[in-house]
């Protein structure tokens, strides 16, 4: 089974855990962020875990990320204007969160539970700060704003890396997810010149391997390429 097939198997395992007939009747199933899924898999492969434990860790991290993303969906106009959909979105996010805690309790990894829980709290605080107080602190066209987005995007996975003792990959995770967020030309055009320079620096550090990358990138021939070409990874597992 190659890398993509293994990731697909883990995603299907997670989707089965998330199924709930009542919720599915009214709202779309979650769409995983493939870049975050890939990094999660890369980190877990470093640990050489038992297959069942790897699946539980993968699903736990993916579920809590899905819960955070699902709560973000409240901001979408189509959902926000429908009270029942809005309530179901909140409940489904809470449901994914409860599954995450249940899975981690089976793993009995108290350090991972603690680190992910603190990440969730910090992410929510950062989001609130960004949406409510951003105008008082910095402009949305500033590098500081982009760095705040970077931290929100990467914090869950950098905390997981800390728990796994994979500290050297934290700079890679931060840069990789920043580049992935702005991989389309349309999103890049919305950035200020200062922000674009910051993004291009992240891209250069990844392309030139100036930050340490997970072994899976080296072992299976993954390379970072120009994000404007809409292709962040070359090679198949």
């Amino acid at each position: 089974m190659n890398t993509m097939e293994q990731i697909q198997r883990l995603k299907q395992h997670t989707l089965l855990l998330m199924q709930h007939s009542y919720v599915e009747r009214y709202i779309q199933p979650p769409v995983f962020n493939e870049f975050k899924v890939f990094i999660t898999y890369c980190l877990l492969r470093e640990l050489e875990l038992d297959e069942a434990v790897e699946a539980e860790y993968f699903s736990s991290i993916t579920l809590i990320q899905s819960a955070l993303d699902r709560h973000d969906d409240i901001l979408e106009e189509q959902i926000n204007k429908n009270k029942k959909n809005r309530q179901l979105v909140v409940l489904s996010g809470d449901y994914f969160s409860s599954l995450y805690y249940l899975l981690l309790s089976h793993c009995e990894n108290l350090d991972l539970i603690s680190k992910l829980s603190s990440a969730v709290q910090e992410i929510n605080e950062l989001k609130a700060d960004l949406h409510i107080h951003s105008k008082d602190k910095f402009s949305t066209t500033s590098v500081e704003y982009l760095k705040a987005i970077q931290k929100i995007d990467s914090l869950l996975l950098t905390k997981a890396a800390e728990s796994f003792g994979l500290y050297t990959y934290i700079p890679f995770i931060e840069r990789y997810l920043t580049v992935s967020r702005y991989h389309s030309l349309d999103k890049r055009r919305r950035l200020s010149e200062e922000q674009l320079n910051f993004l291009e620096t992240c891209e250069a550090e990844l392309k030139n391997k100036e930050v340490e990358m997970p072994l899976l990138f080296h072992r299976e021939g993954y390379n970072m390429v120009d994000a404007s070409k809409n292709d962040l990874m070359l090679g198949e597992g």
Side-chain angles (χ1 to χ4, degrees):
M1 187 181 294
N2 65 30
T3 298
M4 293 303 130
E5 289 172 339
Q6 290 173 350
I7 291 175
Q8 188 61 29
R9 174 182 59 82
L10 290 167
K11 284 166 59 179
Q12 288 300 320
H13 172 74
T14 305
L15 283 170
L16 286 172
L17 293 172
M18 300 166 87
Q19 284 183 346
H20 193 292
S21 59
Y22 184 76
V23 171
E24 289 175 353
R25 200 182 314 166
Y26 294 99
I27 57 179
Q28 292 296 313
V31 177
F32 296 137
N33 181 308
E34 296 299 333
F35 300 103
K36 293 178 182 179
V37 164
F38 184 74
I39 289 181
T40 302
Y41 180 74
C42 285
L43 294 178
L44 293 174
R45 293 302 292 174
E46 300 274 325
L47 306 179
E48 298 182 353
L49 299 168
D50 174 81
E51 191 173 291
V53 175
E54 180 182 73
E56 286 189 336
Y57 281 6
F58 179 91
S59 293
S60 298
I61 295 169
T62 305
L63 281 167
I64 197 60
Q65 185 64 63
S66 296
L68 290 166
D69 293 344
R70 179 50 57 89
H71 284 150
D72 284 345
D73 289 343
I74 290 295
L75 299 175
E76 293 184 11
E77 183 181 354
Q78 197 64 28
I79 291 174
N80 197 38
K81 68 182 182 181
N82 186 304
K83 183 178 179 181
K84 186 168 187 176
N85 276 1
R86 189 167 66 247
Q87 291 171 334
L88 282 170
V89 165
V90 173
L91 289 172
S92 61
D94 293 342
Y95 176 61
F96 299 158
S97 295
S98 66
L99 287 175
Y100 139 76
Y101 284 111
L102 179 63
L103 279 174
L104 281 185
S105 68
H106 291 164
C107 297
E108 298 181 351
N109 188 331
L110 297 180
D111 182 67
L112 183 60
I113 293 172
S114 174
K115 285 206 165 47
L116 293 185
S117 297
S118 68
V120 171
Q121 179 181 343
E122 192 172 345
I123 287 168
N124 287 328
E125 289 172 354
L126 285 166
K127 285 180 179 178
D129 203 34
L130 202 63
H131 290 297
I132 299 171
H133 303 297
S134 61
K135 291 181 180 179
D136 301 328
K137 291 194 170 185
F138 39 69
S139 165
T140 56
T141 60
S142 68
V143 170
E144 287 72 22
Y145 182 85
L146 206 60
K147 286 181 178 179
I149 296 292
Q150 181 185 70
K151 192 165 187 179
I152 288 170
D153 278 346
S154 63
L155 194 58
L156 195 73
L157 288 169
T158 57
K159 287 293 185 182
E162 283 182 21
S163 180
F164 299 147
L166 302 174
Y167 298 93
T168 56
Y169 297 145
I170 289 175
F172 162 77
I173 293 169
E174 293 172 340
R175 287 154 181 78
Y176 183 85
L177 290 179
T178 299
V179 171
S180 73
R181 172 180 274 270
Y182 298 100
H183 71 280
S184 72
L185 287 174
D186 181 56
K187 288 185 177 180
R188 292 167 72 89
R189 289 192 186 103
R190 300 175 193 175
L191 298 176
S192 67
E193 184 178 353
E194 187 182 17
Q195 289 174 329
L196 190 58
N197 288 337
F198 175 75
L199 180 64
E200 288 173 347
T201 298
C202 291
E203 290 172 356
E205 290 173 343
L206 292 168
K207 281 184 69 174
N208 299 329
K209 295 185 170 65
E210 295 175 27
V211 292
E212 189 165 347
M213 299 183 179
L215 295 176
L216 187 62
F217 274 81
H218 303 292
R219 187 166 63 242
E220 304 207 10
Y222 288 95
N223 295 290
M224 301 304 299
V225 296
D226 188 351
S228 65
K229 294 178 182 175
N230 223 4
D231 184 9
L232 293 180
M233 296 178 293
L234 295 177
E236 288 291 330

